[in-house]
Every structure is written in structure tokens, then in C-alpha cells.
Amino acid sequence: MQIHSLGFDSLCEDEYSLIGIHTTLEDYKLAYLLNRILGTSFSKSKKDLHIEELSKKTAFSLFNYSNLEYEFEWFLIANSSKRENQTESNELLLTTETKTYLIPEKKKVDFFIKISGNVSYSFVVKTIDKINTIDQVITSYSIDKNTLKSKDFLII
């Protein structure tokens, strides 16, 4: 009798494609331009993506779009989050800013687009070509999720 086993990793691993975007745009402006260029309908999620690590809570901006026709779910995720820290020193109020990255090994990436579902490589390439036509986008490219150490943070 043949016995098959499934590892825990295979149950948690969902199929998705990942695109990195370099831009100086704010999240809402990028979402608007992507909607115009790609024909998507990104809208701000009711809740941001919250990560709690080393007793620090961080929230990353999150937009989503569901394509019911092709059963794709798209997420536009900010890679960085800024938090202001205020300290008092000699009756002076000092403010410092702490920047946290969702995927620390990709610090230069400003936003990620995660497309859930089994998407063909040619579809991803066409999407990247369209994104690169936006004037304010410096570049965008496909990212191999298997090379990321922090890919668990992309589970939404």
C-alpha cells in the first residue's frame, strides 16, 4: 500500500506572482494610476497589513482588487512604514523617524504587487510592461518569491 504525506509547507504555500515597483508616488496615487493603466480597481483595504515583530507593531499600506472573471486577487502593498518617535531631553521634545521594511532584503522596492492564483509568466511580463509606461514609475520587475527570506510577511 502506497502512503502519501503532505508537509505543512505545502499546505501553507499559495500560488502567487510578485512584482516590485520603484517609485516616489504616494500609495493612493500609484493605485489610481495602476487602475487607469491596468484596468484594475484597486481600493484601500479596510485594514492595513499589520506585522508584530520584536514587540513592535508596524502597519503597511494595503490596497486590493479582486478579479472574479479570472479568479485573481491582487494586492498593492507598501514595502516601508514610517513611525515617529518622540523623546524628551532637557525639556526639549525631540522627534525621530523610524522606517521599517516589510521585506528587508528588498529595501529599494517601494511597493509590491502580489497577484494570487496561477498566473502565466507572459501575463506578468505584459503587466510589468504596462506599469513601466507610468511616467512616475522608475522601474518594475518580477521578483522570484523563493529568493525572499521574509516571504511569510506577504501572506494576506
Side-chain angles (χ1 to χ4, degrees):
M1 184 164 107
Q2 195 173 22
I3 297 175
H4 297 282
S5 67
L6 288 176
F8 184 70
D9 291 342
S10 62
L11 292 175
C12 294
E13 187 79 23
D14 63 339
E15 188 61 38
Y16 64 90
S17 297
L18 195 62
I19 298 171
I21 301 175
H22 295 255
T23 184
T24 57
L25 289 170
E26 295 288 329
D27 56 359
Y28 64 93
K29 289 180 184 177
L30 179 60
Y32 171 77
L33 292 171
L34 290 172
N35 287 341
R36 287 188 50 202
I37 296 294
L38 300 176
T40 55
S41 296
F42 279 108
S43 60
K44 181 81 170 140
S45 289
K46 293 177 182 165
K47 294 184 179 181
D48 287 340
L49 179 61
H50 291 277
I51 304 294
E52 188 171 338
E53 187 175 26
L54 300 172
S55 72
K56 294 179 185 175
K57 290 183 182 179
T58 309
F60 297 90
S61 177
L62 179 67
F63 289 74
N64 63 341
Y65 161 66
S66 295
N67 185 325
L68 301 177
E69 181 181 348
Y70 298 109
E71 297 182 9
F72 295 157
E73 186 135 21
W74 297 51
F75 299 95
L76 175 63
I77 310 163
N79 190 34
S80 64
S81 176
K82 294 178 184 175
R83 188 176 75 224
E84 287 188 2
N85 304 318
Q86 292 184 345
T87 56
E88 196 172 320
S89 174
N90 296 336
E91 297 183 15
L92 290 174
L93 189 61
L94 302 173
T95 303
T96 58
E97 191 174 83
T98 304
K99 195 169 190 177
T100 307
Y101 294 95
L102 180 66
I103 307 294
E105 59 267 30
K106 296 288 185 185
K107 288 183 178 179
K108 296 191 181 218
V109 174
D110 298 301
F111 294 94
F112 293 103
I113 291 181
K114 176 183 172 185
I115 307 172
S116 294
N118 195 3
V119 182
S120 70
Y121 182 72
S122 62
F123 179 81
V124 173
V125 169
K126 287 178 188 175
T127 302
I128 291 169
D129 289 342
K130 288 179 183 178
I131 293 170
N132 284 332
T133 64
I134 299 173
D135 290 336
Q136 296 88 339
V137 169
I138 299 163
T139 189
S140 66
Y141 49 88
S142 179
I143 296 175
D144 182 5
K145 64 183 178 193
N146 297 319
T147 63
L148 300 177
K149 296 176 193 170
S150 310
K151 67 181 174 185
D152 292 342
F153 293 140
L154 293 170
I155 297 172
I156 300 172

